[in-house]
Amino acid sequence: MTRLRLASVNVNGVRAAFRKGMGDWLATRDVDVLALQEVRASSDDLAGLLGDEWDIVHDPATAKGRAGVAIASRHRAQIHRVELGAAEFDSAGRWIEADYELDGTTVTVVSCYVHSGEVDTPKQDEKWKFLDAMTERMPKLREHNPLAVVVGDLNVGHDQRDIKNWKGNVKRAGFLPRERAYFSRFFGAEGEQVEGADGSTGPGLGWVDVGREQAGDVDGPYTWWSWRGQAFDNDSGWRIDYQVATPDLAAKVTSYTVDRAAAYDQRWSDHAPVVVDYEL
C-alpha cells in the first residue's frame, strides 16, 4: 500500500502566506501533493517559495494578482489540463487537473477555486457558469480515471452544518439554495434524481464529500473564518474547502484533518488546510 497525503488550502496570496508562517507548517506535514488556491503570484515566485523538491503545475488568473490555482507534488505530473467549460468562458486561475502515478496507481487531482459570487451581480452569473461547467466536467473526470478528486475552495456551504450562522446567510452568496442544489447533485447517488434546497431536481453524480463522510453529523469542522471580529476565536466559520472524491478513491481514505491554527495570531491564511490521507 502507498500512502498519498493530499493537502489543499486557499493561501490568500502565497507570498503573504509564507511571510506569515506557511513554510513552517509545510515543513512538518509530510505532504505528498499540495493543492493551492488564490496563489496570486507568478510561477517563478511559487517555485522560489516551495523549493526544487516540488514539481509544480500552475494556472494563473487572466487578471494579474487575482485567483490562481496550482498543484505541487513530490512526483512529476504525467499530464495536466486547465480548460473548463465553453471556449468563451474564462476559467483561468480557477481549475487545474493533473495526473500522478504512485507505485503504478494513477490518481487525478484537481485544484479548484470557485467564484465567491455576489447576489444579482455579474459575479454571481460567473459563479453559475462555473458550477455548470463543473457539473459537466465531473462525470468525464470519473470516466478518465476512477481514482479522481476535486479539492479546493468551492465557496459554497452545502447544508446547515457547514455554516455557524446559516440562518443569517440564506440570501447571501455561498449559502444560496440554488448554489447548495449543485452540491446535492454532486454528492447524490449516481443517476438518481436529487432534489436541491431550491426545489430543483437533477441527476446525482455520485461523488463523495470526504469531509462530511469522515466528520459525520456534526457542525463543521469549519475551514474558513473571517479576519474580522471574533469569528476565529468563537469558531464562527464556514466549511467551504472540500476534498470531493470518486467513490473508489473515497473508499481509500484513512485520515481527514482540518489544520486549524492554534490561535488567531498564528494564522497565515483566513482558510485552514484540509489534509487527507489515502491508502492506494
Side-chain angles (χ1 to χ4, degrees):
M1 302 288 282
T2 300
R3 186 213 70 184
L4 167 64
R5 176 164 292 170
L6 172 58
S8 176
V9 61
N10 179 324
V11 292
N12 200 22
V14 71
R15 289 170 295 186
F18 265 79
R19 285 197 300 271
K20 295 175 182 177
M22 178 181 170
D24 295 336
W25 166 80
L26 188 58
T28 65
R29 278 310 254 134
D30 195 23
V31 171
D32 300 300
V33 177
L34 174 67
L36 306 175
Q37 303 87 45
E38 272 204 278
V39 173
R40 298 193 303 209
S42 71
S43 296
D44 287 343
D45 288 333
L46 197 51
L49 290 168
L50 290 175
D52 295 339
E53 66 268 29
W54 293 91
D55 177 71
I56 302 168
V57 293
H58 176 215
D59 187 36
T62 302
K64 188 176 181 180
R66 296 182 59 193
V69 287
I71 309 173
S73 174
R74 308 290 188 180
H75 313 271
R76 184 170 294 278
Q78 292 176 292
I79 188 172
H80 77 277
R81 298 162 294 274
V82 298
E83 296 82 11
L84 181 72
E88 65 271 15
F89 175 50
D90 180 11
S91 61
R94 293 187 179 275
W95 181 273
I96 190 167
E97 307 172 13
D99 290 355
Y100 298 98
E101 184 177 332
L102 298 94
D103 293 338
T105 300
T106 298
V107 178
T108 300
V109 178
V110 180
S111 181
C112 176
Y113 176 45
V114 176
H115 304 67
S116 56
E118 186 177 334
V119 174
D120 295 331
T121 72
K123 292 180 179 180
Q124 192 66 31
D125 294 337
E126 289 299 297
K127 190 173 189 177
W128 299 133
K129 290 179 186 177
F130 195 92
L131 291 170
D132 284 338
M134 285 181 66
T135 302
E136 182 178 341
R137 179 61 186 155
M138 287 170 72
K140 296 175 182 176
L141 266 177
R142 192 170 167 185
E143 289 177 12
H144 166 73
N145 185 1
L147 299 179
V149 60
V150 177
V151 307
D153 177 2
L154 305 190
N155 260 319
V156 175
H158 179 218
D159 62 38
Q160 296 172 7
R161 298 168 295 182
D162 297 320
I163 299 182
K164 182 71 169 284
N165 178 27
W166 67 267
K167 289 182 180 178
N169 285 285
V170 291
K171 295 183 179 181
R172 291 186 57 195
F175 200 60
L176 298 173
R178 181 179 166 189
E179 293 174 334
R180 294 160 55 202
Y182 281 91
F183 283 64
S184 293
R185 292 189 286 272
F186 292 164
F187 307 141
E190 185 178 13
E192 293 188 9
Q193 288 296 306
V194 177
E195 183 173 352
D198 63 346
S200 66
T201 59
L205 301 186
W207 289 62
V208 178
D209 177 356
V210 171
R212 179 55 60 210
E213 182 177 73
Q214 293 295 310
D217 187 13
V218 299
D219 291 338
Y222 306 125
T223 64
W224 174 84
W225 304 262
S226 172
W227 288 113
R228 298 191 297 272
Q230 300 295 310
F232 183 80
D233 293 337
N234 295 336
D235 198 25
S236 184
W238 296 46
R239 190 179 74 95
I240 53 176
D241 301 88
Y242 293 78
Q243 296 208 17
V244 180
T246 58
D248 286 357
L249 188 59
K252 300 180 184 297
V253 173
T254 58
S255 173
Y256 171 87
T257 308
V258 176
D259 281 5
R260 188 181 191 272
Y264 179 93
D265 61 3
Q266 296 179 36
R267 304 169 75 193
W268 42 265
S269 172
D270 50 354
H271 294 256
V274 175
V275 185
V276 178
D277 286 354
Y278 300 87
E279 289 289 342
L280 306 178

